Amino acid sequence: MNSFLSPLHSWTLLDSWIVVIGALSAMACALPGCFLLLRKQSLMGDAISHTSLLGVVAAFFVSHWLVEAKVISPATELSVRHVTMCVGAIVVGVMSAWLTESLQKLGNVESSAALGVVFTSLFALGLLLIRAFADNVHIDLDCVLYGEIVTAPLETVGNSGVPRAVIVNGVVLAINLLLTVLLFKELRLSAFDPALATTLGIPAQVMHYGLMGLTAMTLVAAFESVGSILVIAMLIIPPATAYLLTDRLPRMIVLSLLIAVLSAALGHVSALTLPLLISRSIGIADVRDASSAGMMAAAAGFLFVMAMLLGPKYGLVVRVWHRLLLKLRIAGEDVLGRLYRFEESAPADLSATSERVALLRKITSQSRVSRLATWMLIRRGWLIGSGSGVHLTDIGREAARTLVRSHRLWESFLAKHFVLGEGRFHESAEQVEHFLDPELLAELDHDLDRPGVDPHGRAIPN
Amino acid sequence: MSTSVVVDHEAMQEPPPRAAAAQSPPSLVPLLIEDVTVAYHRRPVLWNIDYQAPSGKLIAIVGPNGSGKTTLIKAILDLVPRAAGQVLIFGEPYRQQRHRVGYVPQRTSVDWDFPVSALDVVAMGMYRKIGWLRPVSRKFREAAKQALDRVGMVDFAGRQINQLSGGQQQRVFLARALAQNADLYFMDEPFAGVDASTERAIVDILRALRESGKTVIVVHHDLQTVHEYFDEVVLLNMRMIAAGPTADVFTPDNLRKTYGGKLALLDQLSEKMAQPRSR
């Protein structure tokens, strides 16, 4: 009972439902989110989440008015209320995308500015409508827009015991999955190259509005059960995380779904355990409660940071590692090059004068990196001996010769084509020598008409 | 008028009229532009363009920056609205002839960090043929591979597109156009920012397309190579300066008209139309 994991021992069906609802809504959001991200319109989701207020309120008033006018019965209105509100949100969602574009074109303003103007005004209009008329009618915004995931499992369908939120988000996920699979190539092309899509008869503009409508529908369905913070987070973070992990769109979509599920599970488990762990470790009274929705969003953020750090291709750790390897290679090649020049100026059979010892030491142990590089060259068999008694082996000398050749050819190339101060040749060649491959060397040699000596008059080895 | 007569004839014959129509096109003009004017924000950028492209030729559109070259192509392809005028592709509106038109946009017009491979991009050229709602089948992937092979890029098929050099990216775009297998191509600056070997490869492909009877219209920047690469040239600077066989049209005098300061008047007028009340 003392462990911070103890809340997990009392895991109930309710907890499972919370994770399922979180996972379903997160997956439903991740699908349109992937395409929004690739269109560089991630914040469109945020905007639509605001404007859908207007859609929901407008839908409410329209159906209310229809009931008043006795076109439909109150019972019908109640049974289709959620569908009407969804439709309202979709209409306003598409409208806000269209308004944003029109404003951008007609007003000649930048797209993010247009978006800002549209979504704040439509949101304000929604608020205004509520203020103006909501006193006469009962509109429960809490239930429509600002749901709470912890209470969502309590509202079940009939006596099946299945929470309504599971059904709603499950249906939305199924719709999104179906559309993503069926329209995969059309969605991909109109995100990548809308002009080509249009010329091929796939109207990119219509696809764009369709995506906006789909996003609005997904958002409204998810809002009701899990709340707005989580929805906006799930629309953006799992796709962004998946984007860091792969170079292929199908894989990115599958990964974003997995990350969505993982965030939901990890989030709820941490909501149960983390408060206790933290409150105990800092020695205050036990805190047992944290917002599950909030923790799910935080878990998604955590996974994103992990992907950023540990991603296989673009992760920070991998990049630092590659940079380190490059640094080591360059340091090793510098040691080789200097030893070669040293042999050039002082034949190897000369007895070890103190000057020679000092010079060699300087070459091989100038810095920690060059010491490490020297050690690696010895292990590789390119150098033998140690410290001041170090020599190039035959293979090592071969490699060193190529390097010095690169250096001097590049100096000659610069001298031929650029007007530079004498010192500058060497500086540039010190960098470039590590990156010239045989092909480029052959080209340089050809361009320079096989020169024998570099601009300083030193022989260019073959 | 003559087109509709031809269609009437074929409608009366037994075999499906579509098949018959597909056999007759050689007699038709690949591209006919009549009195096309385009405006952005009220400001006209192209004035009264008339042009008739000959069939099976390599045609360059040449003109200074901002002369409306890209806009002309986009107006032909219904990507920007025309303020006036009409365009006929093989005698019909573009809408009906989409399948016979290939388009290579400027390389910089797309996001090269997009998570797709070179092969994926090439396959995009065949999406129309594949049809709505269907995945890219093996047959089309093979065709995409062949198109990549024609531009010497088959070894890069699986590469993510941001790992390609500028020249390689342009070749992928070209392969995509080949995969479209169109009769009339529009290419927007395919030579921009490519290496010498890619330029040669592109020229070879263009010539091969001409050999097989295709018409290729290219927005081109390098005046040095116009004579060598193109049969026809269209000189454009907001209006049509001249158009015709390169030898006749690509003259110092016409170039001076295209690039010189003679258009100051038109430009000023444009400005005024954009701001009608600014006086």
Side-chain angles (χ1 to χ4, degrees):
Chain A
M1 275 313 274
N2 272 334
S3 158
F4 68 91
L5 292 173
S6 60
L8 294 184
H9 297 312
S10 50
W11 184 277
T12 62
L13 187 63
L14 193 71
D15 292 301
S16 302
W17 280 132
I18 289 175
V19 172
V20 168
I21 293 169
L24 286 175
S25 56
M27 286 194 287
C29 289
L31 286 171
C34 279
F35 291 98
L36 287 177
L37 178 91
L38 291 175
R39 288 167 164 273
K40 306 189 192 308
Q41 287 176 327
S42 287
L43 279 181
M44 199 68 174
D46 197 356
I48 287 180
S49 72
H50 283 82
T51 59
S52 56
L53 174 76
L54 176 63
V56 168
V57 172
F60 183 87
F61 282 121
V62 169
S63 50
H64 189 75
W65 176 75
L66 286 177
V67 172
E68 295 271 280
K70 298 214 161 47
V71 180
I72 53 172
S73 72
T76 330
E77 193 271 329
L78 202 63
S79 63
V80 297
R81 179 177 282 176
H82 285 98
V83 177
T84 358
M85 287 183 174
C86 229
V87 171
I90 292 173
V91 170
V92 176
V94 173
M95 198 175 87
S96 37
W98 175 77
L99 271 178
T100 305
E101 254 161 64
S102 312
L103 208 63
Q104 203 181 328
K105 263 183 227 152
L106 293 176
N108 208 5
V109 291
E110 190 221 339
S111 69
S112 60
L115 188 66
V117 170
V118 168
F119 93 79
T120 48
S121 352
L122 292 190
F123 184 59
L125 191 61
L127 289 177
L128 203 71
L129 278 178
I130 297 175
R131 279 310 279 173
F133 304 108
D135 291 342
N136 308 327
V137 295
H138 174 72
I139 178 162
D140 186 4
L141 275 179
D142 281 348
C143 110
V144 178
L145 279 181
Y146 310 109
E148 169 55 57
I149 192 165
V150 179
T151 57
L154 300 177
E155 193 194 338
T156 54
V157 178
N159 21 1
S160 62
V162 179
R164 218 183 62 83
V166 169
I167 310 273
V168 170
N169 285 296
V171 167
V172 171
L173 174 62
I175 294 174
N176 287 357
L177 259 180
L178 190 74
L179 287 175
T180 309
V181 170
L182 281 180
L183 291 171
F184 177 74
K185 70 182 198 311
E186 286 79 10
L187 282 167
R188 169 159 81 181
L189 179 57
S190 38
F192 175 65
D193 193 343
L196 182 79
T198 307
T199 63
L200 289 177
I202 298 166
Q205 197 73 357
V206 175
M207 298 295 291
H208 173 60
Y209 291 141
L211 183 62
M212 292 305 145
L214 203 65
T215 308
M217 178 194 76
T218 311
L219 288 178
V220 171
F223 273 159
E224 190 191 352
S225 34
V226 304
S228 56
I229 303 285
L230 184 56
V231 166
I232 294 168
M234 287 308 172
L235 198 64
I236 301 175
I237 304 178
T241 312
Y243 181 76
L244 293 179
L245 296 176
T246 176
D247 281 340
R248 291 290 181 283
L249 185 51
R251 259 178 253 165
M252 175 178 155
I253 291 173
V254 172
L255 274 175
S256 73
L257 293 177
L258 290 178
I259 290 160
V261 174
L262 204 59
S263 309
L266 199 63
H268 188 58
V269 169
S270 348
L272 292 179
T273 56
L274 268 190
L276 209 55
L277 179 67
I278 292 170
S279 59
R280 288 209 179 147
S281 64
I282 58 174
I284 55 169
D286 283 2
V287 178
R288 286 181 180 277
D289 204 18
S291 149
S292 278
M295 284 308 281
M296 286 177 186
F302 170 75
L303 291 175
F304 177 80
V305 172
M306 284 293 118
M308 211 169 73
L309 292 177
L310 305 174
K313 234 177 185 172
Y314 310 110
L316 209 62
V317 172
V318 170
R319 290 215 308 262
V320 168
W321 174 246
H322 281 307
R323 212 174 302 150
L324 204 73
L325 285 184
L326 180 68
K327 211 172 165 188
L328 258 179
R329 179 170 75 86
I330 288 176
E333 290 181 354
D334 283 343
V335 168
L336 285 177
R338 292 203 187 112
L339 280 176
Y340 185 90
R341 292 187 186 95
F342 179 77
E343 281 187 2
E344 241 180 6
S345 59
D349 53 82
L350 264 184
S351 59
T353 62
S354 62
E355 201 180 333
R356 182 190 152 95
V357 170
L359 236 133
L360 272 175
R361 181 154 292 150
K362 199 179 163 207
I363 291 173
T364 56
S365 13
Q366 193 178 27
S367 66
R368 213 176 299 160
V369 186
S370 54
R371 271 200 294 276
L372 182 59
T374 306
W375 177 78
M376 284 171 70
L377 288 171
I378 291 170
R379 286 208 46 171
R380 219 199 254 174
W382 288 17
L383 297 182
I384 43 170
S386 64
S388 53
V390 83
H391 291 284
L392 286 166
T393 62
D394 285 346
I395 322 169
R397 192 169 296 112
E398 198 49 49
R401 184 181 292 131
T402 312
L403 204 79
V404 172
R405 176 176 161 76
S406 302
H407 183 103
R408 292 181 182 164
L409 272 176
W410 184 252
E411 284 190 334
S412 313
F413 180 76
L414 286 186
K416 180 178 169 188
H417 294 286
F418 297 83
V419 184
L420 284 175
E422 179 120 336
R424 307 271 301 280
F425 295 151
H426 179 74
E427 244 170 71
S428 163
E430 271 298 288
Q431 291 166 6
V432 170
E433 64 183 11
H434 305 290
F435 301 98
L436 287 172
D437 56 15
E439 246 173 73
L440 277 169
L441 275 183
E443 224 169 283
L444 275 182
D445 203 29
H446 180 76
D447 176 87
L448 296 165
D449 211 11
R450 307 192 179 284
V453 291
D454 72 3
H456 310 291
R458 282 186 292 249
I460 296 175
N462 273 316
Chain B
M1 282 311 277
S2 61
T3 332
S4 62
V5 173
V6 172
V7 171
D8 280 350
H9 259 291
E10 279 155 2
M12 281 185 276
Q13 284 166 2
E14 276 312 295
R18 274 186 170 234
Q23 282 161 10
S24 59
S27 62
L28 291 175
V29 180
L31 171 69
L32 180 68
I33 305 175
E34 280 177 343
D35 198 24
V36 163
T37 296
V38 180
Y40 279 141
H41 298 301
R42 299 183 55 107
R43 179 186 175 144
V45 286
L46 284 175
W47 300 73
N48 311 93
I49 306 294
D50 283 302
Y51 180 61
Q52 179 169 342
S55 184
K57 298 275 191 235
L58 299 183
I59 303 163
I61 303 181
V62 173
N65 286 331
S67 57
K69 305 184 292 289
T70 298
T71 305
L72 178 59
I73 288 187
K74 288 192 166 169
I76 293 168
L77 300 177
D78 288 345
L79 291 172
V80 299
R82 297 187 288 270
Q86 73 159 344
V87 173
L88 292 178
I89 310 271
F90 296 109
E92 284 181 48
Y94 169 67
R95 224 164 237 289
Q96 269 110 60
Q97 294 288 349
R98 268 204 179 122
H99 58 286
R100 299 182 65 187
V101 178
Y103 174 43
V104 181
Q106 280 182 26
R107 184 161 54 85
T108 48
S109 69
V110 303
D111 170 19
W112 290 92
D113 286 331
F114 204 90
V116 287
S117 67
L119 189 77
D120 291 334
V121 172
V122 176
M124 286 175 185
M126 298 181 291
Y127 277 10
R128 189 191 167 81
K129 246 176 279 170
I130 298 169
W132 281 83
L133 308 180
R134 296 212 187 118
V136 182
S137 63
R138 179 181 296 246
K139 186 180 102 188
F140 287 105
R141 296 181 72 80
E142 274 311 310
K145 238 181 206 159
Q146 277 170 21
L148 272 175
D149 199 23
R150 280 184 69 186
V151 298
M153 286 285 295
V154 77
D155 293 338
F156 298 87
R159 283 271 186 102
Q160 208 256 320
I161 52 174
N162 71 1
Q163 287 157 24
L164 302 172
S165 71
Q168 290 169 334
Q169 290 174 345
Q170 191 63 58
R171 287 182 197 215
V172 169
F173 257 21
L174 202 66
R176 183 172 77 175
L178 292 178
Q180 269 183 274
N181 195 19
D183 294 319
L184 169 64
Y185 284 103
F186 294 94
M187 303 188 182
D188 203 343
E189 305 221 13
F191 296 106
V194 303
D195 51 290
S197 71
T198 298
E199 178 149 348
R200 278 193 298 276
I202 297 176
V203 170
D204 287 344
I205 293 286
L206 292 184
R207 288 182 178 151
L209 285 172
R210 176 177 57 190
E211 292 309 307
S212 51
K214 320 276 192 187
T215 307
V216 189
I217 298 179
V218 178
V219 171
H220 195 59
H221 240 123
D222 183 9
L223 300 180
Q224 312 279 334
T225 50
V226 170
H227 267 296
E228 189 189 339
Y229 296 167
F230 296 100
D231 312 312
E232 277 251 329
V233 65
V234 174
L235 291 172
L236 197 69
N237 192 346
M238 297 178 73
R239 64 192 169 100
M240 179 79 77
I241 308 292
T246 310
D248 307 341
V249 168
F250 200 66
T251 60
D253 195 36
N254 277 338
L255 279 175
R256 212 170 299 123
K257 273 192 212 154
T258 313
Y259 286 85
K262 301 225 168 186
L263 289 149
L265 185 89
L266 215 54
D267 225 1
Q268 278 173 24
L269 184 56
S270 254
E271 291 279 356
K272 296 213 170 97
M273 291 175 75
Q275 295 148 356
R277 277 170 299 165
S278 68
R279 279 209 144 210

